[in-house]
Amino acid sequence: MKQLKTDKLNKFDKVLFCAAFMFAFFFMSHPDLWETANHSYIFLESLFGGKILDFYKIVRRHENTYYYINGANYNILVYALFGIREIPIFAFNKIFGLAVNEAVIIYAAKLVSVLFFVLCGFAVKSIARECGLKDSDCSAAALFFLFNPIAFYSPMAMGQYDSICLFFTLWAIVFYMRGDLTKFSLITGAAVCCKFFALLTFIPLLLLSEKKILKIAKYALMSLWLYLPTALLYMGRRGDSGAFTKIMAERMFALTFDTGFKSASVFLTFYAVLVFFAFLYCPAESGRKYTALWLCAAVFGGLFACIYWHPQWLVLLIPFTVLTTFIQKNKMPFFLVDLVLRAGFFLTRYTYYPNQTGATLFAGGVLSHVFGLGMGERWQPLSHFIGLIPYIDEVMPVMFVGGIAVNLIFKFKLGEKSLADILTSAEKYDSLPVKVCGYAIFIIGFVGMWLAPSVLELINSYGII
């Protein structure tokens, strides 16, 4: 308890951190990672076989025996990044004439996602320091991000790789906080190659700091320095892989409201308002840094409130809700809101992705690879049991969207204070050590809302309960 009461990270925190990461790393994985790991191995085969420009076609024609259902849908640099990690395995197999062990390259690929996730924690700490938070709060913000149930779930349980895009986005924001728009734009260029989500935050942040049209155009072009050459290199060679990006983009137009002529996208209208606000607003330096974080939270919060999202995407939102919480004078109300938001996230995820996000993730871990343990014949997804709760289908989106709305509305600054700081007084609320709150959110959110129900789902599939 003494260790929990101190704000400083100690051996206890590091041991718990490593134990949680090791357990999630080895016991869980999502099929998407399996596909990307195999695609990256094919990238190496294409590269060293002199067919690198035919990579997308080779994957689409399935000229191999590796497991995957979808084509290669990402920028070539994503496969190159995972391919670098797989080079030792590739070389070992070629030297000794061995067939690829797909379980091995799955863990090799997952290590990439995990390492970038850890680096995101360091980036969160750096951003907190640039915002003027004291050292203990900077460390606590990193801890809250890494142990946030939603953030932890994406790379650690699912093995997804949105952490790569997030790392470059956060790294770019570190330089943005320092006023270096050149490095901000160039590093954003790397993030854009991973996922186009990075452009959604880049535009309002750029307009918040720069008002001259020609300079805006210059930095915008800088942000495409890496994407444009790789896109041109494979122009006409990617087959139908661009259809995946189109499907993702169309989700922004799914939720609409009626106008006099035609329906308009709710998110893009909201986004247009944010962009104009960023261009119009000329804050002082301290206000610019906080507003930048709030804008990122607003962009991703608005996006995920308006589209049919994939669970792994939500990691993009979390660093900004965490950082803006730590800048508030009174954090406790937002810690409680975090639990509501997490509950809405996990309930939604179970309901709309019943075959991919519960106990089935254990099928991608050592229980399956080593012991051959899969889902039992009596398996019923958690969504079946959740559906038995009256009105849960109506309540869970309110919990999720309501949690996002509370973060955006009450963290908006009016002058020198946020609306929350104007309305609240810290001494009126429970006073708990920040670290205790962080661990409580992780235990309740990840262990209570995901791990325990998923283990019960697995046991139930064998008829034990």
Side-chain angles (χ1 to χ4, degrees):
M1 290 304 298
K2 287 182 179 179
Q3 292 174 331
L4 285 173
K5 289 179 181 179
T6 177
D7 288 340
K8 295 182 179 179
L9 298 182
N10 48 45
K11 291 182 180 179
F12 171 81
D13 302 306
K14 294 173 183 177
V15 169
L16 181 61
F17 180 87
C18 291
F21 268 56
M22 292 295 285
F23 173 75
F25 182 85
F26 285 108
F27 279 83
M28 312 161 200
S29 190
H30 189 273
D32 276 2
L33 180 66
W34 193 350
E35 292 199 3
T36 301
N38 285 346
H39 289 164
S40 300
Y41 198 86
I42 297 169
F43 167 83
L44 293 177
E45 292 180 332
S46 303
L47 176 64
F48 292 105
K51 299 180 180 180
I52 188 60
L53 294 180
D54 295 324
F55 164 70
Y56 290 96
K57 294 179 181 178
I58 292 171
V59 172
R60 189 176 74 253
R61 292 195 294 259
H62 217 135
E63 300 176 2
N64 49 75
T65 60
Y66 309 139
Y67 164 82
Y68 59 88
I69 298 172
N70 302 296
N73 295 315
Y74 301 113
N75 185 280
I76 194 66
L77 294 177
V78 174
Y79 300 107
L81 182 61
F82 282 102
I84 291 171
R85 176 64 187 89
E86 294 177 11
I87 283 177
I89 302 169
F90 179 83
F92 185 85
N93 289 341
K94 292 301 179 182
I95 291 171
F96 294 98
L98 301 175
V100 62
N101 185 319
E102 295 184 30
V104 173
I105 61 172
I106 288 172
Y107 284 111
K110 189 171 184 179
L111 185 61
V112 175
S113 300
V114 171
L115 287 175
F116 273 96
F117 181 56
V118 174
L119 289 174
C120 286
F122 285 102
V124 167
K125 186 175 181 178
S126 296
I127 293 171
R129 188 178 292 116
E130 293 294 332
C131 291
L133 295 181
K134 59 183 181 180
D135 287 343
S136 60
D137 280 345
C138 293
S139 297
L143 181 74
F144 265 68
F145 165 73
L146 291 170
F147 272 147
N148 184 284
I150 296 176
F152 185 88
Y153 176 79
S154 174
M156 298 308 307
M158 296 187 75
Q160 292 285 359
Y161 24 91
D162 296 79
S163 57
I164 303 174
C165 174
L166 179 60
F167 166 71
F168 287 114
T169 301
L170 293 174
W171 186 20
I173 290 174
V174 170
F175 287 104
Y176 179 86
M177 295 294 181
R178 297 172 184 171
D180 192 335
L181 293 184
T182 297
K183 290 181 180 177
F184 166 65
S185 303
L186 292 174
I187 297 172
T188 297
V192 170
C193 289
C194 301
K195 287 283 178 73
F196 265 103
F197 290 133
L199 277 181
L200 293 176
T201 54
F202 172 77
I203 293 170
L205 292 189
L206 176 60
L207 295 179
L208 182 65
S209 289
E210 183 55 67
K211 313 299 180 183
K212 302 295 179 67
I213 301 301
L214 289 179
K215 289 186 176 180
I216 291 171
K218 179 186 75 172
Y219 292 125
L221 287 173
M222 282 184 182
S223 70
L224 299 175
W225 72 276
L226 198 53
Y227 178 79
L228 286 179
T230 53
L232 291 173
L233 181 64
Y234 281 92
M235 182 177 291
R237 297 187 174 98
R238 292 190 59 171
D240 59 352
S241 61
F244 177 78
T245 302
K246 181 182 178 183
I247 291 171
M248 295 299 104
E250 286 175 348
R251 296 189 181 195
M252 292 190 291
F253 299 89
L255 182 63
T256 61
F257 62 91
D258 290 333
T259 69
F261 295 95
K262 201 173 181 180
S263 297
S265 164
V266 173
F267 168 70
L268 290 178
T269 302
F270 172 71
Y271 183 69
V273 173
L274 288 179
V275 168
F276 183 70
F277 164 76
F279 183 64
L280 197 64
Y281 187 36
C282 298
E285 182 62 16
S286 60
R288 180 183 69 89
K289 291 179 178 180
Y290 178 82
T291 303
L293 296 176
W294 183 88
L295 278 170
C296 291
V299 167
F300 288 131
L303 178 69
F304 298 136
C306 295
I307 70 168
Y308 189 97
W309 41 264
H310 289 186
Q312 61 269 25
W313 295 349
L314 269 293
V315 70
L316 299 168
L317 170 66
I318 302 306
F320 305 109
T321 58
V322 168
L323 285 164
T324 50
T325 291
F326 270 85
I327 295 175
Q328 309 303 314
K329 289 185 177 179
N330 187 16
K331 306 172 184 62
M332 182 58 69
F334 292 105
F335 292 158
L336 298 174
V337 169
D338 274 350
L339 290 175
V340 177
L341 177 59
R342 275 60 180 155
F345 167 78
F346 281 109
L347 287 170
T348 302
R349 185 189 54 78
Y350 285 133
T351 302
Y352 291 95
Y353 296 94
N355 301 327
Q356 303 179 44
T357 54
T360 52
L361 290 183
F362 291 120
V366 294
L367 292 178
S368 175
H369 295 310
V370 178
F371 303 106
L373 181 66
M375 302 302 296
E377 294 181 357
R378 295 182 57 181
W379 174 66
Q380 283 186 308
L382 284 168
S383 57
H384 168 77
F385 302 99
I386 292 171
L388 300 177
I389 304 173
Y391 302 108
I392 190 64
D393 203 45
E394 290 76 20
V395 171
M396 61 186 181
V398 175
M399 298 170 74
F400 177 75
V401 177
I404 290 175
V406 165
N407 270 277
L408 300 184
I409 294 170
F410 291 97
K411 289 179 179 176
F412 186 78
K413 271 199 172 182
L414 299 171
E416 293 299 316
K417 292 185 176 181
S418 67
L419 182 57
D421 285 340
I422 293 172
L423 294 174
T424 63
S425 177
E427 61 268 16
K428 300 288 185 181
Y429 298 86
D430 293 326
S431 180
L432 295 172
V434 170
K435 194 187 294 185
V436 171
C437 296
Y439 284 137
I441 291 173
F442 179 74
I443 292 170
I444 296 172
F446 184 76
V447 179
M449 296 179 186
W450 186 82
L451 183 58
S454 296
V455 170
L456 291 174
E457 180 186 1
L458 179 64
I459 295 173
N460 179 67
S461 72
Y462 285 93
I464 299 174
I465 58 172

